[in-house]
Structures are given as C-alpha cells and as structure tokens.
C-alpha cells in the first residue's frame, strides 16, 4: 500500500489545484473523486432524467466508465449541482466507494502513493490516510474563483448567483446525513482565503514532508 494523501474541502477552495500539484511533486497518482459524482450527475442529465431520481443515479454510477468522462461537460454549474444531489445517495456512494479505496490502496502504474481530493476522503474513503488536509476559504472568495472559471467557459451567470449557489451547496453538503462535509479530527486545516496557490502548496508540502519524516 502506497503513501496516501487525503485532500478535502468545499467547492472552489483550491483543493483540486493543490492536489494535482502535490501528486506531480511527489510522483503520486491523482484522483479527483468529485469528478466521479459530477460524471454520475451529468450522465443522468444526459439521459433527460432528474438527478434526484435514485434509481437513475445508481444505474449511472454502476455503469460509469471513468475513461470516458468529459471533463469539460462535468465542470458546468449544472453538473456541479447534480453532483451534490447524487452524492447524498448511499447506494451511489457505495458503488463508487470501493473504486476510490482500490485506487488509494493500489495506485495505478505501480506509483508509490496517491493523492485523492474530495469532501469525505479523510473521514470516510481513506480514514487511515497518512496525511489529511482540509482546504477551505471564505464563501465570497470561493464564489469569485468559481465565477471567473464559469465566465472563462462562456457562462453568463452572475457572481451574486454563484455566491448564492455556493452558500446553498455548503449548507446542503454540511447538513447531509450521509458523509457530511467536515474536517477529519486529525486533519490539518489550510485556509486559502488570502493565499496564492504557490503559498498554499508550500504549506501543504511542509505538512506532508514533516509527516514523511
């Protein structure tokens, strides 16, 4: 079993960018677990069905081919909302959970470790991860970051609407009964509100290197 780094946090806190940089820095495999739920939610939408349809969501999870995930399609606002809806369904989570654990325990291509980012990696998926980091930032900063991403992709949604969506998603993710969004008891908190990605990366490396020693 390789060295496992769990990166958790709310949307647009910077955990994905940080996790990718860490995987490259250490030569570890990387898994964006949020993309799995986004892909499930988008697959349901592509079939013209409601993401709240539990049967449709479970079927999408069971037949999901990670090699065919359309990264551009799953990064839309609608796909993000659908992901938050299907992620509360225990059967969907069960269908994806084992895949995530297998990835962490047996990194592809024989790599020495894995970096997984999501919302419950340190609490549910890999509770025994070697290092757990919970990345956060203020709702206003996260909404602004997300709005810039959407604007670049051609969306005309307002920043005020993105902030409203961010707060609602935070509430839903934190209050859900199935794997609520929260830091693991032994997680290191990393607030990126006033940090550049390089500064956040440097702090994360300091935490991980100390653990490795």
């Amino acid at each position: 079993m390789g060295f496992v780094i769990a990166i958790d946090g709310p949307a647009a806190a910077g955990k994905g960018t940080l996790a990718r940089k860490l995987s490259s820095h250490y030569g570890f495999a990387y898994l964006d677990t949020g993309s799995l739920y986004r892909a499930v939610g988008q697959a349901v939408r592509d079939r013209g069905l409601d993401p709240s349809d539990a049967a449709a969501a479970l079927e999408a999870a069971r037949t999901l081919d990670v090699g065919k995930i359309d990264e551009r399609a799953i990064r839309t606002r609608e796909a993000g909302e659908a992901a938050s809806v299907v992620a509360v369904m225990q059967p969907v989570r069960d269908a994806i959970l084992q895949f995530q654990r297998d990835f962490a325990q047996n990194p592809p291509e024989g790599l020495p470790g894995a970096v997984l980012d999501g919302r419950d990696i340190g609490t549910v998926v890999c509770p025994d991860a070697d290092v757990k980091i919970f990345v956060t930032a203020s709702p206003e900063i996260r909404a602004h970051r997300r709005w810039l991403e959407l604007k670049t992709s051609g969306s005309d949604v307002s920043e005020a609407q993105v902030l409203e969506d961010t707060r609602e998603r935070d509430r839903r993710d934190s209050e859900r009964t199935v794997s609520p969004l929260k830091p693991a008891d032994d997680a290191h908190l990393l607030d990126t509100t006033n940090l550049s990605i390089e500064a956040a990366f440097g702090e994360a490396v300091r935490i991980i290197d100390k653990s490795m020693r």
Side-chain angles (χ1 to χ4, degrees):
M1 182 175 178
F3 193 92
V4 179
I5 301 172
I7 308 290
D8 289 307
K15 63 182 182 296
T17 301
L18 178 62
R20 283 188 290 271
K21 287 180 69 67
L22 289 172
S23 69
S24 177
H25 178 74
Y26 291 105
F28 289 177
Y30 167 63
L31 180 64
D32 172 9
T33 66
S35 69
L36 304 180
Y37 291 106
R38 282 176 171 268
V40 169
Q42 185 60 35
V44 175
R45 294 183 70 252
D46 287 344
R47 296 169 186 171
L49 301 174
D50 191 326
S52 64
D53 183 329
L58 179 57
E59 174 64 18
R62 286 175 171 170
T63 59
L64 184 64
D65 183 345
V66 293
K68 295 182 179 179
I69 293 177
D70 184 337
E71 287 293 328
R72 186 177 182 84
I74 67 171
R75 297 303 166 188
T76 65
R77 174 190 170 202
E78 292 78 10
E81 288 299 305
S84 190
V85 172
V86 301
V88 305
M89 301 174 184
Q90 191 59 49
V92 172
R93 302 191 71 83
D94 291 342
I96 292 177
L97 179 59
Q98 194 57 52
F99 172 84
Q100 297 174 87
R101 286 179 172 169
D102 286 344
F103 185 97
Q105 294 170 2
N106 302 286
E109 300 178 14
L111 293 175
V115 182
L116 291 80
D117 81 66
R119 284 175 171 73
D120 63 351
I121 307 304
T123 54
V124 176
V125 179
C126 299
D128 296 324
D130 297 280
V131 177
K132 303 173 187 177
I133 299 177
F134 191 88
V135 185
T136 189
S138 71
E140 292 78 12
I141 289 296
R142 291 188 288 116
H144 182 67
R145 292 171 180 168
R146 182 58 178 152
W147 175 71
L148 290 176
E149 291 178 358
L150 292 170
K151 186 178 180 181
T152 300
S153 66
S155 173
D156 60 357
V157 64
S158 70
E159 186 169 353
Q161 182 61 56
V162 176
L163 176 57
E164 181 180 340
D165 291 346
T166 297
R167 286 174 169 157
E168 170 58 23
R169 186 170 181 183
D170 285 350
R171 183 198 64 76
R172 185 167 63 237
D173 288 348
S174 297
E175 295 179 0
R176 69 194 188 195
T177 57
V178 178
S179 302
L181 171 65
K182 64 177 182 179
D185 292 339
D186 55 347
H188 300 269
L189 298 181
L190 182 56
D191 190 329
T192 67
T193 299
N194 299 308
L195 294 180
S196 67
I197 182 56
E198 290 303 328
F201 172 71
E203 178 61 17
V205 168
R206 184 192 68 78
I207 292 170
I208 295 166
D209 284 354
K210 182 177 180 180
S211 177
M212 286 180 167
R213 288 196 296 267

